[in-house]
Amino acid sequence: MSEYKTFNADDAIAFADEHSELFGEHSKLSAEELADGDLNLVFRVENDKGTSVIVKQALPYARFVGESWPLTTDRARLEAEVLKMHRRFCPEHTVEVRYFDPVACAILMEDLDDYRILRAELNDGKKFNHLAPQMASYMANTLFYTSDFVLSSENKKAEVARFLNPELCLISEDLFFTDPYCNHERNTIEPSILEKAKTLWHDDALKAEVAALKASFLSKPQALLHGDLHSGSVFINSDNCKVIDAEFGFFGPIGFDVGTLLGNLLLNYLASPGLHDAEDSASQQAYLLEQAEQLWLQFSETFTELMNRETQDPALENNLYQQRFLQQVFSDAAGYAGCELIRRTVGLAHVADLDSISDAALRTQCQRNALKLGRELIMQRSELNNINQLLNLVRYQQAD
Amino acid sequence: MSEYKTFNADDAIAFADEHSELFGEHSKLSAEELADGDLNLVFRVENDKGTSVIVKQALPYARFVGESWPLTTDRARLEAEVLKMHRRFCPEHTVEVRYFDPVACAILMEDLDDYRILRAELNDGKKFNHLAPQMASYMANTLFYTSDFVLSSENKKAEVARFLNPELCLISEDLFFTDPYCNHERNTIEPSILEKAKTLWHDDALKAEVAALKASFLSKPQALLHGDLHSGSVFINSDNCKVIDAEFGFFGPIGFDVGTLLGNLLLNYLASPGLHDAEDSASQQAYLLEQAEQLWLQFSETFTELMNRETQDPALENNLYQQRFLQQVFSDAAGYAGCELIRRTVGLAHVADLDSISDAALRTQCQRNALKLGRELIMQRSELNNINQLLNLVRYQQAD
């Protein structure tokens, strides 16, 4: 293929046939277009024996809530490269990229047809005890092995440049740190919480903290992040988790990945009373707090072990430094989790956890709780010493 | 010229003649090789009317204290590009680059023949009241206008990649943050302070702080630094200062430039009793503390004004954030100044301020003072609220 062209089902079949060792009989392949966001085409291509692969092609534009703007198809390269790098360090929990075509901007990847999206499972009240340990392992390994603890400074600088990803970073910068804190047309705010949302626009103490979190997002290239680690980027089944959709990956603050995932567990916690009856909600909330606790504890345990054992730079071997580094990751994570709560409630991209609550009064109450907890996490992030203090904030916060 | 070749005087004349509008009569030009470090050839090329320019060529190796290793000549491009960028934002105090040849790795630049090197002037006990305000203006303007306050994130990312400078950064990383804190063969330690130096190698509390400063040097691309802003990189005369030698430039923490220059004023302060008689030393020390105070006060005043007036990112306009940002630059600067004191005393590259003290006992005492103050600045940097607290540390520190 010599130039970019949007795939139809037959193109997807041809692409899969050409680049997948398992196939080879074009005539026996079928393709089904899967629903996705509005940034990509996704096809499942299957042969007559039921073996399937996914073909994902980046579209040259993005569409969010009706708005459409041009967006680099180079993000397909970034997604493929981030996933390959993460798979090097955590093959168990990173989707396998089998082939990437830079002209078609298309990725052939493993089909996770026996998995479901984590967000949908959580909204259905499903519980998986392997969620926290596996995602902790994914984050600790992918983030540690792409950090200054391991990469030589020369190699790290080259990798930072290879993963600059300015266009997709700009989307995150705007949606996380700018739009929710001003009267921006991209925001989606339900009328019932408009007054609460407006208080954010004039909350200078909060905006000072959000500015600091944004500055770190811009200028703290600690490790190669997934960059979009919400519960829609995690596939799960009864045994395993796998991470997909890494097109927002770049070198940024480690706490951003940790905080995004943590924030998504908390969003589901806050939405739970609107999604389930009282008993199921209590049980789901207990499960989610346990997972949030284990996510941090096991992440920090593994990251600490790796720092102790695998640090390559002698100047960074100091134990006290390593403890403080991790404490600062925790504080960053609390802040970014808070940003995720707020932007998912009043920003452009909402989550089904909250939006699917059918009782309007309950939905409003959950949204207000999300704004309140989000603010507390951001404001108190430097004083929180451990995950239990953070979870006590979650347990005892009451919306006013 | 189609390939790199080390210049002789005649090559320098031809280069200057070809690229300088003022010249044009090769036969009437003369060249003189100037002493420099062991990384570059530097020629002054002059015509018969006394008009002169400097030709600086990067050598394909570096030589420090007898040791020699290969070093990219791409640093000539980096030096030219950093100086051009800094001159855009502070033309008064940045040497003018008139032409850069990427094949010859040679720069044609303004001759500062009516200036002298700041370090030599300070060691001679000279005083210039314009030093602090002018250098404060240089740092505030060059660092602010290359920061996230002004550059769009897309532009900033591209500039970070353009100025990666891995080879020269590695030299700084080793010499500042690694070598002085271990028994490294590159260190140069006078026998009389060997015991004191050894305490650094086992000072885990100090090494934890130095690790944090190194991590920021590696992964905090706040602005395009000069990267080597010691008093040998500043030319001065009775009216003006000009900054030269920017080959270590890269995107790093703003406090590194500020701290390096501050550290060099403090080194001269500490050396002063060994360089002058008691009366002259007291007067020179008073002058240096005044300059150190003004350097920070005027830097922070100008930087604050610029943040208020010229910030392009609405999320970073918050006043409280800006105050905290500057406070963190101050704390970083104190820490990097401390590193400069230590590495110039026991590391590879010493300074004439200390080394030229002829009285051995006095020299030892000054070196011990430098180690002591360096450690205090690093350890206390986060508790120092303002420049007076920092200068009180300087005034009242006593070596044990």
Side-chain angles (χ1 to χ4, degrees):
Chain A
M1 190 170 316
S2 63
E3 62 181 23
Y4 178 90
K5 160 183 176 306
T6 305
F7 278 2
N8 59 28
D10 219 53
D11 297 324
I13 289 174
F15 183 78
D17 197 32
E18 184 177 356
H19 302 296
S20 175
E21 290 169 14
L22 285 172
F23 292 162
E25 290 189 78
H26 191 143
S27 60
K28 293 185 181 164
L29 300 180
S30 64
E32 165 195 15
E33 188 174 343
L34 305 181
D36 189 33
D38 290 315
L39 293 85
N40 305 288
L41 289 172
V42 182
F43 298 91
R44 167 176 291 135
V45 180
E46 196 166 1
N47 68 12
D48 56 354
K49 301 192 181 62
T51 303
S52 57
V53 294
I54 293 291
V55 174
K56 177 174 179 179
Q57 184 185 39
L59 292 168
Y61 53 81
R63 225 177 320 148
F64 284 124
V65 197
E67 224 189 328
S68 178
W69 66 84
L71 190 62
T72 174
T73 48
D74 183 48
R75 66 188 193 275
R77 172 188 69 85
L78 285 156
E79 169 160 18
E81 294 296 321
V82 174
L83 289 172
K84 280 191 228 167
M85 181 82 91
H86 280 192
R87 200 170 153 85
R88 244 180 90 190
F89 302 119
C90 190
E92 305 89 335
H93 307 303
T94 310
V95 69
E96 186 188 6
V97 169
R98 296 193 182 150
Y99 182 77
F100 164 63
D101 183 323
V103 175
C105 305
I107 301 174
L108 186 81
M109 65 177 96
E110 146 185 41
D111 185 12
L112 301 171
D113 56 348
D114 52 341
Y115 289 71
R116 282 191 69 206
I117 290 286
L118 174 63
R119 187 182 308 286
E121 297 291 78
L122 293 179
N123 287 346
D124 284 351
K126 299 279 178 59
K127 303 184 180 71
F128 306 88
N129 286 324
H130 56 285
L131 172 61
Q134 292 186 357
M135 290 305 297
S137 171
Y138 166 77
M139 295 192 300
N141 281 284
T142 59
L143 298 170
F144 177 78
Y145 282 106
T146 58
S147 76
D148 291 319
F149 290 103
V150 177
L151 300 183
S152 73
S153 77
E154 183 168 7
N155 190 6
K156 168 93 177 316
K157 283 172 199 291
E159 292 295 57
V160 167
R162 193 157 73 94
F163 291 100
L164 282 189
N165 208 355
E167 287 196 37
L168 278 84
C169 281
L170 182 60
I171 295 175
S172 300
E173 290 153 21
D174 287 343
L175 299 191
F176 269 86
F177 309 111
T178 304
D179 296 358
Y181 306 94
C182 64
N183 185 13
H184 200 287
E185 58 181 7
R186 274 190 300 247
N187 289 332
T188 307
I189 307 172
E190 290 203 43
S192 60
I193 59 158
L194 182 59
E195 284 311 308
K196 269 284 162 221
K198 280 184 180 173
T199 64
L200 300 174
W201 309 343
H202 307 289
D203 188 340
D204 280 337
L206 178 64
K207 286 165 81 169
E209 300 296 338
V210 173
L213 289 162
K214 179 173 188 179
S216 289
F217 188 88
L218 291 169
S219 289
K220 197 169 174 177
Q222 289 181 323
L224 179 59
L225 308 187
H226 178 280
D228 194 26
L229 199 55
H230 60 81
S231 43
S233 296
V234 179
F235 265 111
I236 196 161
N237 65 18
S238 57
D239 301 317
N240 200 22
C241 299
K242 291 227 184 192
V243 171
I244 61 163
D245 280 359
E247 58 206 312
F248 284 84
F250 76 112
F251 274 83
I254 288 174
F256 186 75
D257 269 4
V258 182
T260 300
L261 187 57
L262 183 63
N264 275 268
L265 297 183
L266 298 180
L267 279 165
N268 196 260
Y269 172 95
L270 295 168
S272 200
L275 296 170
H276 314 292
D277 66 31
E279 190 181 337
D280 287 352
S281 168
S283 148
Q284 185 73 359
Q285 287 195 323
Y287 162 74
L288 288 163
L289 289 190
E290 171 71 17
Q291 291 299 301
E293 183 185 17
Q294 289 306 314
L295 185 73
W296 175 259
L297 291 180
Q298 299 197 31
F299 168 80
S300 70
E301 188 183 339
T302 305
F303 204 92
T304 300
E305 260 176 47
L306 291 170
M307 287 191 294
N308 285 336
R309 207 179 64 213
E310 301 281 341
T311 296
Q312 301 300 307
D313 181 342
L316 304 184
E317 279 173 357
N318 181 281
N319 209 261
L320 187 58
Y321 166 70
Q322 295 182 350
Q323 289 169 35
R324 288 196 198 137
F325 181 89
L326 200 60
Q327 189 59 39
Q328 162 265 303
V329 170
F330 180 68
S331 148
D332 283 0
Y336 290 120
C339 292
E340 176 74 354
L341 263 56
I342 290 175
R343 74 116 176 174
R344 294 299 195 176
T345 307
V346 296
L348 171 65
H350 284 215
V351 288
D353 314 43
L354 288 168
D355 280 14
S356 69
I357 298 172
S358 49
D359 179 318
L362 209 46
R363 191 171 65 247
T364 298
Q365 188 56 48
C366 292
Q367 289 180 331
R368 290 166 67 103
N369 288 347
L371 293 184
K372 175 110 192 306
L373 179 59
R375 185 183 192 282
E376 291 305 310
L377 288 172
I378 293 168
M379 296 304 292
Q380 297 190 38
R381 71 190 192 286
S382 303
E383 281 78 53
L384 296 171
N385 289 317
N386 56 55
I387 186 68
N388 280 319
Q389 287 182 6
L390 188 155
L391 294 179
N392 280 336
L393 260 190
V394 179
R395 284 186 193 98
Y396 303 119
Q397 66 94 29
Q398 302 287 334
D400 34 31
Chain B
M1 191 172 315
S2 62
E3 64 180 21
Y4 179 89
K5 161 183 174 305
T6 304
F7 279 1
N8 59 27
D10 218 51
D11 298 323
I13 289 174
F15 183 77
D17 197 31
E18 185 177 355
H19 301 297
S20 174
E21 289 169 13
L22 284 171
F23 292 160
E25 290 189 77
H26 191 144
S27 60
K28 293 184 179 164
L29 300 180
S30 65
E32 166 195 14
E33 188 174 344
L34 306 180
D36 189 34
D38 290 315
L39 293 87
N40 304 288
L41 289 172
V42 181
F43 298 92
R44 168 175 290 135
V45 180
E46 196 166 359
N47 69 10
D48 57 354
K49 301 190 182 65
T51 303
S52 57
V53 294
I54 293 292
V55 174
K56 177 174 178 178
Q57 184 184 39
L59 291 167
Y61 52 82
R63 225 178 321 151
F64 284 123
V65 197
E67 225 187 327
S68 179
W69 66 84
L71 190 62
T72 174
T73 49
D74 183 48
R75 65 188 194 276
R77 173 188 68 85
L78 285 156
E79 168 160 17
E81 294 296 321
V82 174
L83 289 173
K84 280 191 227 168
M85 181 81 92
H86 280 192
R87 199 170 154 86
R88 246 180 88 190
F89 302 119
C90 191
E92 305 89 334
H93 307 303
T94 310
V95 69
E96 185 189 6
V97 169
R98 296 193 183 150
Y99 184 78
F100 164 64
D101 184 323
V103 175
C105 305
I107 301 174
L108 186 80
M109 65 177 94
E110 148 186 38
D111 185 11
L112 301 170
D113 56 348
D114 52 341
Y115 289 71
R116 282 190 69 204
I117 290 286
L118 175 62
R119 187 182 308 286
E121 297 292 78
L122 293 179
N123 286 346
D124 283 351
K126 300 279 178 60
K127 303 184 181 71
F128 307 87
N129 286 324
H130 56 284
L131 171 62
Q134 292 185 357
M135 289 306 296
S137 171
Y138 166 77
M139 294 191 301
N141 281 284
T142 59
L143 298 170
F144 176 77
Y145 282 106
T146 58
S147 76
D148 291 319
F149 289 104
V150 177
L151 300 184
S152 73
S153 76
E154 182 167 9
N155 190 6
K156 169 93 177 316
K157 284 172 198 292
E159 292 294 59
V160 166
R162 194 158 72 94
F163 290 99
L164 282 188
N165 207 356
E167 286 196 39
L168 278 83
C169 282
L170 181 60
I171 295 175
S172 300
E173 290 153 21
D174 287 343
L175 299 191
F176 270 88
F177 308 112
T178 304
D179 296 359
Y181 306 95
C182 64
N183 185 13
H184 200 286
E185 58 181 7
R186 274 190 300 247
N187 288 331
T188 307
I189 306 171
E190 291 204 42
S192 59
I193 58 158
L194 183 58
E195 285 311 308
K196 269 283 162 220
K198 280 184 181 173
T199 65
L200 299 175
W201 308 343
H202 308 289
D203 187 339
D204 280 336
L206 178 64
K207 286 165 82 169
E209 300 296 338
V210 172
L213 290 161
K214 180 174 188 180
S216 289
F217 188 87
L218 291 169
S219 288
K220 196 168 174 177
Q222 290 181 321
L224 179 59
L225 308 187
H226 178 279
D228 195 27
L229 200 55
H230 60 81
S231 44
S233 296
V234 179
F235 265 111
I236 196 161
N237 65 18
S238 56
D239 301 318
N240 200 22
C241 300
K242 292 226 183 191
V243 172
I244 61 163
D245 279 0
E247 58 207 312
F248 284 84
F250 76 112
F251 273 82
I254 289 174
F256 185 76
D257 269 4
V258 181
T260 302
L261 187 57
L262 184 63
N264 276 268
L265 296 183
L266 298 180
L267 279 164
N268 196 261
Y269 172 96
L270 294 169
S272 199
L275 295 170
H276 314 290
D277 66 31
E279 190 181 337
D280 287 351
S281 168
S283 147
Q284 185 74 359
Q285 287 194 322
Y287 162 74
L288 288 163
L289 289 191
E290 170 71 17
Q291 291 298 302
E293 182 185 17
Q294 289 305 313
L295 185 72
W296 175 257
L297 290 181
Q298 299 197 30
F299 168 80
S300 70
E301 189 183 337
T302 305
F303 203 92
T304 299
E305 261 176 45
L306 291 171
M307 287 192 294
N308 285 337
R309 208 179 64 214
E310 301 280 340
T311 295
Q312 301 299 308
D313 181 341
L316 303 185
E317 279 173 358
N318 181 281
N319 209 261
L320 188 57
Y321 166 69
Q322 294 182 351
Q323 290 170 34
R324 288 195 198 137
F325 181 88
L326 200 60
Q327 189 59 39
Q328 162 265 304
V329 169
F330 179 69
S331 148
D332 284 0
Y336 290 120
C339 293
E340 176 74 354
L341 263 56
I342 290 175
R343 74 117 176 174
R344 294 298 196 177
T345 307
V346 297
L348 171 64
H350 284 215
V351 288
D353 314 43
L354 288 168
D355 280 15
S356 69
I357 299 171
S358 50
D359 181 317
L362 209 48
R363 190 172 65 247
T364 298
Q365 188 57 49
C366 292
Q367 289 180 332
R368 290 166 68 103
N369 288 347
L371 294 184
K372 175 109 190 307
L373 178 59
R375 186 184 192 282
E376 292 304 312
L377 288 172
I378 293 168
M379 296 304 291
Q380 297 190 41
R381 72 188 190 287
S382 303
E383 281 78 53
L384 295 171
N385 289 316
N386 56 54
I387 186 68
N388 280 319
Q389 287 182 6
L390 188 155
L391 295 178
N392 280 337
L393 260 192
V394 178
R395 284 187 193 98
Y396 303 120
Q397 66 94 30
Q398 303 286 336
D400 35 31

